[in-house]
Amino acid sequence: MEAEKIWMDGKMVDWNDAKIHVLTHALHYGSGVFEGIRAYETEQGAAVFRLKDHVNRLFDSAKILRMDIPYSKDEITKAIKETVKINKLNSCYIRPLVYRGFKKLGLNPFSCPVRVMIAAWEWGAYLGEEALAKGIKAITSSWQRSNINSTSAKAKICGNYVNSIFANMEAVEADVEEAILLDSDGYVAEGPGENIFWVSDGVLYTPPLTSVLEGITRKTIIKIAKDMNFEVREEFIARDVLYLADEAFFAGSAAELTPIREIDHYTIGSGERGPISKKLQEKLFSVFKGKEKQYIDWLDFVNKII
Ligand code: PMP
């Protein structure tokens, strides 16, 4: 995991020189917001998937954390594409981060400068190539998703991810690939870095947005599933509904569409990638690779702009 250049506060710097001061506010208190984006290889070169939506969410997250990003949306969009281009990447993961830098330590963040960095690097399947085809095992975490009055689920705030790290560590130590978090009322919420879907009697379900991040992959899957004439419903459910589901999968920019074959030692459906998950996954990858004309506007071709 390394590339040549990282965009830092308006300049391209060498990967190894992209450094910050140890008293950076965000390092101590999690006062930053970020995005996780993917670019895919298409016939017309690298294309960033739903870049506009990711940039909008980055600015929304910053607004919630009361940070004024010192660049326009157009400037950030251009910088993201430039970062992919300068590193000569065809398919990659892109990580923009907006964070409070160093001025004065203490919880009051307002005097600390708002800094921005964008990194990109080659990255394969988040939970492994085999996971995409065969599915993964998951457990319900004993940690719950932060209550909606404890932090903002709408914002991708760095500090929120300590909650995700607790859940992920629990999964890794239980020898499964990923965790599922329940919300503070006990309903199924999402994965540490993914939204969750399940299928029962041919209907596709996902939890409502109350305590979960409004995932761009979630939005994409809902749209393509509806276009494929599947019924899609948003429902609060207890974990036992998942145990009895015909299929289940995680959805996220990193995880893409990863089937779940076992939850808390219960086999889900037939214990492998289900037929609807497979259909949606194939369509999704075809969309990512620019093979679906209907959704071509979701792709931002890196070579076209600069
Ligand atoms: N939930 C959480 C907590 C996440 O961190 C992510 C990853 N951004 C998602 C869901 C999926 O969102 P997206 O599809 O936009 O990557």
Side-chain angles (χ1 to χ4, degrees), residues 20-33 65-67 97-115 157-159:
I20 52 162
H21 198 277
V22 288
L23 292 178
T24 296
H25 195 271
L27 185 62
H28 294 254
Y29 304 121
S31 49
V33 298
L65 206 53
R66 294 173 174 274
M67 293 193 293
L97 172 72
V98 176
Y99 61 102
R100 290 279 181 188
F102 171 60
K103 176 80 188 225
K104 204 170 117 206
L105 216 58
L107 284 179
N108 179 346
F110 291 113
S111 68
C112 296
V114 175
R115 301 189 55 184
I157 297 173
C158 297

Side-chain angles (χ1 to χ4, degrees), residues 66-85:
R66 294 173 174 274
M67 293 193 293
D68 288 325
I69 301 182
Y71 302 94
S72 67
K73 285 187 182 177
D74 280 350
E75 285 169 326
I76 295 294
T77 302
K78 193 162 174 249
I80 288 172
K81 288 179 177 172
E82 265 168 0
T83 308
V84 175
K85 202 171 175 180

Side-chain angles (χ1 to χ4, degrees), residues 80-99:
I80 288 172
K81 288 179 177 172
E82 265 168 0
T83 308
V84 175
K85 202 171 175 180
I86 203 165
N87 286 298
K88 301 177 201 74
L89 294 161
N90 279 325
S91 71
C92 60
Y93 185 76
I94 308 160
R95 167 55 53 83
L97 172 72
V98 176
Y99 61 102

Side-chain angles (χ1 to χ4, degrees), residues 34-36 54 57 145 156 161 164 190-195 212-218 251-254:
F34 66 98
E35 271 305 315
H54 283 283
R57 191 171 63 185
R145 245 295 159 250
K156 262 182 91 68
Y161 282 82
S164 296
E190 60 182 337
E194 310 90 356
N195 291 109
V212 308
L213 186 78
E214 186 169 2
I216 289 161
T217 319
R218 178 188 184 277
S253 301

